Amino acid sequence: MIDVPLSVLDLAPVAAGAGAGEALRHTTELARRTEELGYHRFWVAEHHNMPAIASSAPAVLIAHLAAATSTIRLGSGGVMLPNHAPLVVAEQFGTLEALHPGRIDLGIGRAPGTDQMTALALRRTMEGLSAEGFPRELADLMNYFTGERPGPIMATPGRGEQPAIWLLGSSGFSAQLAGLLGLPFSFAHHFSPANTLPALTLYRQHFRPSRFLAEPYAMVAVHAVCAETDERARWLVGPAELSFLRLRMGRPEALATPDEAAAYPYTELEREFVAHWREGQALGSPETVRRELAELLARTGADELMLTAPVYDVADRVRSYELIAEKVAGGLRR
């Protein structure tokens, strides 16, 4: 059985023919159910200008989810810092921590989570949109929480209400920075599997003990869709495969139904792209998912796994997490 903590990453997927309100209600339903099952944390991710994703405002959504739950940790996977002034992020997450002490995670990402035109619309200036400014802005953000470098501006809420801060990454840059700062690190294996092992190695090599951690703590995010059979799981994941393909083609759309995805006329090159997307993920029956997650843990030495199930129907999404809890993680309620 999988015995590390299991957590959930949800993007509030917008199904074709539905709207953002329904997607957000389904995410709330999923948060409640995964809390009941015993999942450790529930994160939502910032994306913009994507018709299939409704989690564009993580702080607002986390506030709603925190009010709808009582024990599960809630957080961002992540807030994309280049899009925002550090003071705003400190005030938003300081407010969340003040309202729900000990339950809030602030996962910080370096990418914009969107295209450059949308990133410019968010930031309203080119300044801060390059990766070079990220360490300075991260330092500014952390200082708003700690006040270690006194200045004329105080984040209220924020000062003294620091959530758990994580760095997120899909390459080596944030891995090294997380290690040097002694922060927990979450790697996006679900869309960058080729970089997982090199990034985790860099994180552990560069880790320095800090007031946050005495030793490295790495979480790996992975697509995990579980159903009664491998065939049904592959059918359920079809809309996510098609959505990712359309996104990479510059034509993002709402999540198709499984039947629509199965009927899509893939070219040979597109089939190869989708097959590559599946590599290293956990998609199948409970036996298959258990084996693939165990193999991922053996390769990475991860301290925690974060599962994401981009499934069209919320009932199937909930059932996937139920099956993993019951048949992959030994009941999970810990």
Side-chain angles (χ1 to χ4, degrees), residues 24-66:
L24 294 168
R25 286 190 291 274
H26 289 165
T27 289
T28 306
E29 177 184 341
L30 183 64
R32 290 193 186 107
R33 183 60 181 135
T34 52
E35 178 180 69
E36 292 171 353
L37 291 166
Y39 284 87
H40 186 46
R41 62 184 97 236
F42 190 102
W43 282 7
V44 294
E46 177 185 351
H47 292 279
H48 301 278
N49 198 27
M50 295 185 186
I53 297 175
S55 58
S56 57
V60 178
L61 182 51
I62 291 166
H64 173 72
L65 296 175

CSV table of all heavy atoms in Angstrom, one decimal, residues 24-66:
chain,number,residue,atom,x,y,z
A,24,LEU,N,-16.7,25.4,-10.1
A,24,LEU,CA,-16.3,25.8,-8.8
A,24,LEU,C,-17.1,25.0,-7.7
A,24,LEU,O,-16.6,24.6,-6.7
A,24,LEU,CB,-16.4,27.3,-8.6
A,24,LEU,CG,-15.4,28.1,-9.5
A,24,LEU,CD1,-15.8,29.6,-9.5
A,24,LEU,CD2,-14.0,27.9,-9.0
A,25,ARG,N,-18.4,24.8,-8.0
A,25,ARG,CA,-19.2,24.0,-7.0
A,25,ARG,C,-18.7,22.6,-7.0
A,25,ARG,O,-18.7,22.0,-5.9
A,25,ARG,CB,-20.7,24.0,-7.4
A,25,ARG,CG,-21.4,25.4,-7.1
A,25,ARG,CD,-22.9,25.3,-7.3
A,25,ARG,NE,-23.2,25.1,-8.7
A,25,ARG,CZ,-23.4,26.2,-9.6
A,25,ARG,NH1,-23.2,27.4,-9.2
A,25,ARG,NH2,-23.7,26.0,-10.8
A,26,HIS,N,-18.3,22.0,-8.1
A,26,HIS,CA,-17.7,20.7,-8.1
A,26,HIS,C,-16.4,20.6,-7.4
A,26,HIS,O,-16.2,19.6,-6.7
A,26,HIS,CB,-17.6,20.2,-9.6
A,26,HIS,CG,-18.9,19.9,-10.3
A,26,HIS,ND1,-18.9,19.8,-11.6
A,26,HIS,CD2,-20.1,19.8,-9.8
A,26,HIS,CE1,-20.2,19.5,-12.0
A,26,HIS,NE2,-20.9,19.5,-10.9
A,27,THR,N,-15.6,21.6,-7.5
A,27,THR,CA,-14.3,21.6,-6.8
A,27,THR,C,-14.6,21.7,-5.3
A,27,THR,O,-13.9,21.0,-4.5
A,27,THR,CB,-13.5,22.8,-7.2
A,27,THR,OG1,-13.0,22.6,-8.5
A,27,THR,CG2,-12.3,23.1,-6.3
A,28,THR,N,-15.6,22.4,-4.9
A,28,THR,CA,-16.0,22.5,-3.4
A,28,THR,C,-16.5,21.1,-3.0
A,28,THR,O,-16.1,20.7,-1.9
A,28,THR,CB,-17.1,23.5,-3.2
A,28,THR,OG1,-16.6,24.8,-3.8
A,28,THR,CG2,-17.4,23.7,-1.8
A,29,GLU,N,-17.3,20.5,-3.7
A,29,GLU,CA,-17.7,19.1,-3.4
A,29,GLU,C,-16.6,18.2,-3.3
A,29,GLU,O,-16.5,17.4,-2.3
A,29,GLU,CB,-18.7,18.6,-4.5
A,29,GLU,CG,-19.2,17.2,-4.3
A,29,GLU,CD,-20.1,16.7,-5.5
A,29,GLU,OE1,-20.6,17.6,-6.2
A,29,GLU,OE2,-20.2,15.5,-5.6
A,30,LEU,N,-15.6,18.3,-4.2
A,30,LEU,CA,-14.4,17.4,-4.1
A,30,LEU,C,-13.6,17.7,-2.9
A,30,LEU,O,-13.1,16.8,-2.2
A,30,LEU,CB,-13.6,17.6,-5.4
A,30,LEU,CG,-12.4,16.7,-5.5
A,30,LEU,CD1,-12.8,15.2,-5.6
A,30,LEU,CD2,-11.5,17.1,-6.7
A,31,ALA,N,-13.4,18.9,-2.5
A,31,ALA,CA,-12.7,19.3,-1.3
A,31,ALA,C,-13.3,18.7,-0.1
A,31,ALA,O,-12.6,18.1,0.8
A,31,ALA,CB,-12.6,20.8,-1.2
A,32,ARG,N,-14.6,18.8,0.0
A,32,ARG,CA,-15.3,18.2,1.2
A,32,ARG,C,-15.1,16.7,1.2
A,32,ARG,O,-14.8,16.1,2.3
A,32,ARG,CB,-16.8,18.5,1.1
A,32,ARG,CG,-17.2,20.0,1.4
A,32,ARG,CD,-18.7,20.1,1.6
A,32,ARG,NE,-19.1,21.5,1.7
A,32,ARG,CZ,-19.8,22.1,0.8
A,32,ARG,NH1,-20.1,21.5,-0.4
A,32,ARG,NH2,-20.2,23.4,1.0
A,33,ARG,N,-15.2,16.0,0.1
A,33,ARG,CA,-15.2,14.6,0.1
A,33,ARG,C,-13.7,14.1,0.3
A,33,ARG,O,-13.5,13.1,1.1
A,33,ARG,CB,-15.6,14.0,-1.3
A,33,ARG,CG,-15.6,12.5,-1.3
A,33,ARG,CD,-16.6,11.9,-0.3
A,33,ARG,NE,-16.5,10.4,-0.3
A,33,ARG,CZ,-16.5,9.6,0.7
A,33,ARG,NH1,-16.4,10.2,1.9
A,33,ARG,NH2,-16.5,8.3,0.6
A,34,THR,N,-12.7,14.8,-0.2
A,34,THR,CA,-11.4,14.3,0.0
A,34,THR,C,-10.9,14.6,1.5
A,34,THR,O,-10.1,13.9,2.0
A,34,THR,CB,-10.4,15.0,-1.0
A,34,THR,OG1,-10.6,16.4,-1.0
A,34,THR,CG2,-10.6,14.5,-2.4
A,35,GLU,N,-11.5,15.6,2.1
A,35,GLU,CA,-11.3,15.8,3.5
A,35,GLU,C,-11.8,14.6,4.3
A,35,GLU,O,-11.2,14.1,5.2
A,35,GLU,CB,-12.0,17.1,4.0
A,35,GLU,CG,-11.8,17.4,5.5
A,35,GLU,CD,-12.5,18.7,5.9
A,35,GLU,OE1,-13.7,18.7,5.9
A,35,GLU,OE2,-11.8,19.6,6.3
A,36,GLU,N,-13.1,14.2,4.0
A,36,GLU,CA,-13.7,13.1,4.7
A,36,GLU,C,-12.8,11.8,4.5
A,36,GLU,O,-12.7,11.0,5.4
A,36,GLU,CB,-15.1,12.8,4.1
A,36,GLU,CG,-16.1,13.9,4.4
A,36,GLU,CD,-17.4,13.7,3.7
A,36,GLU,OE1,-17.5,12.8,2.8
A,36,GLU,OE2,-18.3,14.4,3.9
A,37,LEU,N,-12.2,11.7,3.3
A,37,LEU,CA,-11.4,10.5,3.1
A,37,LEU,C,-10.1,10.5,3.8
A,37,LEU,O,-9.5,9.4,4.0
A,37,LEU,CB,-11.2,10.3,1.6
A,37,LEU,CG,-12.5,10.0,0.7
A,37,LEU,CD1,-12.2,10.2,-0.8
A,37,LEU,CD2,-12.9,8.6,1.0
A,38,GLY,N,-9.6,11.6,4.1
A,38,GLY,CA,-8.3,11.7,4.8
A,38,GLY,C,-7.2,12.2,4.0
A,38,GLY,O,-6.0,12.0,4.4
A,39,TYR,N,-7.4,12.8,2.8
A,39,TYR,CA,-6.3,13.4,2.1
A,39,TYR,C,-5.7,14.6,2.9
A,39,TYR,O,-6.4,15.2,3.6
A,39,TYR,CB,-6.8,13.9,0.7
A,39,TYR,CG,-7.0,12.7,-0.2
A,39,TYR,CD1,-8.2,12.0,-0.3
A,39,TYR,CD2,-6.0,12.3,-1.1
A,39,TYR,CE1,-8.4,10.9,-1.1
A,39,TYR,CE2,-6.1,11.2,-2.0
A,39,TYR,CZ,-7.4,10.6,-2.0
A,39,TYR,OH,-7.5,9.5,-2.8
A,40,HIS,N,-4.4,14.8,2.7
A,40,HIS,CA,-3.7,15.7,3.6
A,40,HIS,C,-3.9,17.2,3.3
A,40,HIS,O,-4.1,18.0,4.2
A,40,HIS,CB,-2.2,15.4,3.5
A,40,HIS,CG,-1.3,16.2,4.5
A,40,HIS,ND1,-1.6,16.3,5.8
A,40,HIS,CD2,-0.2,16.8,4.3
A,40,HIS,CE1,-0.7,17.0,6.4
A,40,HIS,NE2,0.2,17.4,5.5
A,41,ARG,N,-3.8,17.5,2.0
A,41,ARG,CA,-4.0,18.9,1.6
A,41,ARG,C,-4.8,19.0,0.3
A,41,ARG,O,-4.8,18.0,-0.5
A,41,ARG,CB,-2.7,19.7,1.6
A,41,ARG,CG,-1.7,19.2,0.6
A,41,ARG,CD,-0.3,20.0,0.7
A,41,ARG,NE,0.6,19.3,1.6
A,41,ARG,CZ,1.2,19.8,2.7
A,41,ARG,NH1,0.9,21.0,3.0
A,41,ARG,NH2,2.1,19.1,3.4
A,42,PHE,N,-5.3,20.1,0.0
A,42,PHE,CA,-6.1,20.4,-1.2
A,42,PHE,C,-5.7,21.7,-1.8
A,42,PHE,O,-5.9,22.7,-1.2
A,42,PHE,CB,-7.6,20.4,-0.9
A,42,PHE,CG,-8.5,20.4,-2.1
A,42,PHE,CD1,-9.2,19.2,-2.5
A,42,PHE,CD2,-8.8,21.5,-2.9
A,42,PHE,CE1,-10.0,19.1,-3.6
A,42,PHE,CE2,-9.6,21.5,-4.0
A,42,PHE,CZ,-10.2,20.3,-4.3
A,43,TRP,N,-5.0,21.6,-3.0
A,43,TRP,CA,-4.5,22.8,-3.6
A,43,TRP,C,-5.2,23.2,-4.9
A,43,TRP,O,-5.7,22.2,-5.6
A,43,TRP,CB,-3.0,22.7,-3.9
A,43,TRP,CG,-2.1,22.8,-2.8
A,43,TRP,CD1,-2.4,22.9,-1.4
A,43,TRP,CD2,-0.6,22.8,-2.8
A,43,TRP,NE1,-1.3,23.0,-0.7
A,43,TRP,CE2,-0.2,22.9,-1.5
A,43,TRP,CE3,0.3,22.7,-3.9
A,43,TRP,CZ2,1.2,23.0,-1.2
A,43,TRP,CZ3,1.6,22.7,-3.6
A,43,TRP,CH2,2.1,22.9,-2.3
A,44,VAL,N,-5.3,24.4,-5.2
A,44,VAL,CA,-5.8,24.9,-6.5
A,44,VAL,C,-4.7,25.7,-7.2
A,44,VAL,O,-3.9,26.3,-6.5
A,44,VAL,CB,-7.1,25.7,-6.3
A,44,VAL,CG1,-8.2,24.8,-5.8
A,44,VAL,CG2,-6.9,26.9,-5.4
A,45,ALA,N,-4.8,25.8,-8.5
A,45,ALA,CA,-3.7,26.4,-9.2
A,45,ALA,C,-4.1,27.6,-10.1
A,45,ALA,O,-5.2,27.6,-10.6
A,45,ALA,CB,-3.0,25.3,-10.2
A,46,GLU,N,-3.3,28.6,-10.1
A,46,GLU,CA,-3.6,29.8,-10.9
A,46,GLU,C,-3.3,29.6,-12.4
A,46,GLU,O,-2.1,29.3,-12.8
A,46,GLU,CB,-2.7,30.9,-10.3
A,46,GLU,CG,-2.9,32.2,-11.1
A,46,GLU,CD,-2.0,33.4,-10.7
A,46,GLU,OE1,-1.3,33.2,-9.6
A,46,GLU,OE2,-2.0,34.4,-11.3
A,47,HIS,N,-4.3,29.7,-13.2
A,47,HIS,CA,-4.2,29.8,-14.6
A,47,HIS,C,-5.1,30.9,-15.2
A,47,HIS,O,-6.1,31.2,-14.6
A,47,HIS,CB,-4.6,28.4,-15.3
A,47,HIS,CG,-3.6,27.3,-15.0
A,47,HIS,ND1,-2.4,27.1,-15.6
A,47,HIS,CD2,-3.7,26.3,-14.0
A,47,HIS,CE1,-1.8,26.1,-15.1
A,47,HIS,NE2,-2.6,25.6,-14.2
A,48,HIS,N,-4.7,31.4,-16.3
A,48,HIS,CA,-5.5,32.5,-16.9
A,48,HIS,C,-5.7,32.3,-18.4
A,48,HIS,O,-4.9,31.7,-19.0
A,48,HIS,CB,-4.8,33.9,-16.7
A,48,HIS,CG,-4.5,34.2,-15.2
A,48,HIS,ND1,-5.5,34.7,-14.4
A,48,HIS,CD2,-3.4,34.0,-14.4
A,48,HIS,CE1,-5.0,34.9,-13.2
A,48,HIS,NE2,-3.8,34.5,-13.2
A,49,ASN,N,-6.8,32.9,-18.9
A,49,ASN,CA,-7.1,32.8,-20.3
A,49,ASN,C,-7.2,31.4,-20.8
A,49,ASN,O,-6.8,31.1,-21.9
A,49,ASN,CB,-6.0,33.6,-21.1
A,49,ASN,CG,-6.5,34.0,-22.5
A,49,ASN,OD1,-7.7,34.1,-22.7
A,49,ASN,ND2,-5.6,34.1,-23.4
A,50,MET,N,-7.7,30.5,-20.0
A,50,MET,CA,-7.9,29.1,-20.3
A,50,MET,C,-9.3,28.7,-20.1
A,50,MET,O,-9.7,28.6,-18.9
A,50,MET,CB,-6.9,28.2,-19.5
A,50,MET,CG,-5.5,28.5,-19.8
A,50,MET,SD,-4.4,27.3,-19.0
A,50,MET,CE,-2.8,28.0,-19.4
A,51,PRO,N,-10.1,28.5,-21.1
A,51,PRO,CA,-11.5,28.2,-21.0
A,51,PRO,C,-11.8,26.9,-20.2
A,51,PRO,O,-12.9,26.8,-19.7
A,51,PRO,CB,-12.0,28.0,-22.4
A,51,PRO,CG,-11.0,28.7,-23.3
A,51,PRO,CD,-9.7,28.6,-22.6
A,52,ALA,N,-10.9,26.0,-20.0
A,52,ALA,CA,-11.1,24.8,-19.4
A,52,ALA,C,-10.8,24.8,-17.9
A,52,ALA,O,-10.9,23.8,-17.2
A,52,ALA,CB,-10.3,23.6,-20.0
A,53,ILE,N,-10.3,26.0,-17.4
A,53,ILE,CA,-9.8,26.0,-16.0
A,53,ILE,C,-10.4,27.2,-15.3
A,53,ILE,O,-10.3,28.4,-15.8
A,53,ILE,CB,-8.3,26.1,-15.9
A,53,ILE,CG1,-7.7,24.8,-16.5
A,53,ILE,CG2,-7.8,26.3,-14.5
A,53,ILE,CD1,-6.2,24.9,-16.6
A,54,ALA,N,-11.1,27.0,-14.1
A,54,ALA,CA,-11.8,28.1,-13.4
A,54,ALA,C,-11.1,28.6,-12.2
A,54,ALA,O,-11.6,29.4,-11.4
A,54,ALA,CB,-13.2,27.7,-13.1
A,55,SER,N,-9.9,28.0,-11.9
A,55,SER,CA,-9.2,28.4,-10.7
A,55,SER,C,-8.2,29.6,-10.9
A,55,SER,O,-7.1,29.5,-10.5
A,55,SER,CB,-8.4,27.2,-10.2
A,55,SER,OG,-7.5,26.7,-11.1
A,56,SER,N,-8.7,30.6,-11.5
A,56,SER,CA,-7.8,31.7,-11.9
A,56,SER,C,-7.5,32.6,-10.7
A,56,SER,O,-6.6,33.4,-10.7
A,56,SER,CB,-8.5,32.6,-13.0
A,56,SER,OG,-9.8,33.0,-12.6
A,57,ALA,N,-8.3,32.6,-9.6
A,57,ALA,CA,-8.1,33.4,-8.4
A,57,ALA,C,-8.0,32.5,-7.2
A,57,ALA,O,-8.9,32.4,-6.4
A,57,ALA,CB,-9.3,34.4,-8.3
A,58,PRO,N,-6.8,31.9,-7.0
A,58,PRO,CA,-6.6,31.0,-5.9
A,58,PRO,C,-7.0,31.5,-4.5
A,58,PRO,O,-7.6,30.8,-3.8
A,58,PRO,CB,-5.1,30.6,-6.0
A,58,PRO,CG,-4.7,30.9,-7.4
A,58,PRO,CD,-5.5,32.0,-7.8
A,59,ALA,N,-6.6,32.7,-4.2
A,59,ALA,CA,-6.9,33.2,-2.8
A,59,ALA,C,-8.4,33.3,-2.6
A,59,ALA,O,-8.9,32.9,-1.5
A,59,ALA,CB,-6.3,34.6,-2.6
A,60,VAL,N,-9.2,33.7,-3.6
A,60,VAL,CA,-10.6,33.8,-3.4
A,60,VAL,C,-11.2,32.4,-3.3
A,60,VAL,O,-12.0,32.1,-2.4
A,60,VAL,CB,-11.3,34.5,-4.6
A,60,VAL,CG1,-12.8,34.5,-4.5
A,60,VAL,CG2,-10.7,35.9,-4.7
A,61,LEU,N,-10.8,31.5,-4.1
A,61,LEU,CA,-11.3,30.1,-4.1
A,61,LEU,C,-10.9,29.4,-2.8
A,61,LEU,O,-11.7,28.7,-2.2
A,61,LEU,CB,-10.8,29.3,-5.3
A,61,LEU,CG,-11.2,27.9,-5.4
A,61,LEU,CD1,-12.8,27.8,-5.3
A,61,LEU,CD2,-10.8,27.3,-6.8
A,62,ILE,N,-9.6,29.6,-2.3
A,62,ILE,CA,-9.2,29.0,-1.1
A,62,ILE,C,-10.0,29.5,0.1
A,62,ILE,O,-10.4,28.7,1.0
A,62,ILE,CB,-7.7,29.3,-0.8
A,62,ILE,CG1,-6.8,28.5,-1.8
A,62,ILE,CG2,-7.3,28.9,0.6
A,62,ILE,CD1,-5.4,29.0,-1.9
A,63,ALA,N,-10.4,30.8,0.1
A,63,ALA,CA,-11.3,31.3,1.2
A,63,ALA,C,-12.6,30.6,1.2
A,63,ALA,O,-13.1,30.2,2.3
A,63,ALA,CB,-11.5,32.8,1.0
A,64,HIS,N,-13.2,30.3,0.0
A,64,HIS,CA,-14.4,29.6,-0.1
A,64,HIS,C,-14.3,28.2,0.4
A,64,HIS,O,-15.1,27.7,1.2
A,64,HIS,CB,-14.9,29.7,-1.5
A,64,HIS,CG,-16.1,28.8,-1.8
A,64,HIS,ND1,-17.4,29.2,-1.3
A,64,HIS,CD2,-16.3,27.6,-2.4
A,64,HIS,CE1,-18.3,28.3,-1.6
A,64,HIS,NE2,-17.6,27.3,-2.3
A,65,LEU,N,-13.2,27.5,0.0
A,65,LEU,CA,-13.0,26.1,0.3
A,65,LEU,C,-12.7,26.0,1.8
A,65,LEU,O,-13.2,25.0,2.5
A,65,LEU,CB,-11.8,25.5,-0.5
A,65,LEU,CG,-12.0,25.5,-2.0
A,65,LEU,CD1,-10.7,25.0,-2.6
A,65,LEU,CD2,-13.2,24.6,-2.4
A,66,ALA,N,-12.0,26.9,2.4
A,66,ALA,CA,-11.8,26.9,3.9
A,66,ALA,C,-13.0,27.0,4.7
A,66,ALA,O,-13.2,26.4,5.7
A,66,ALA,CB,-10.8,28.0,4.2
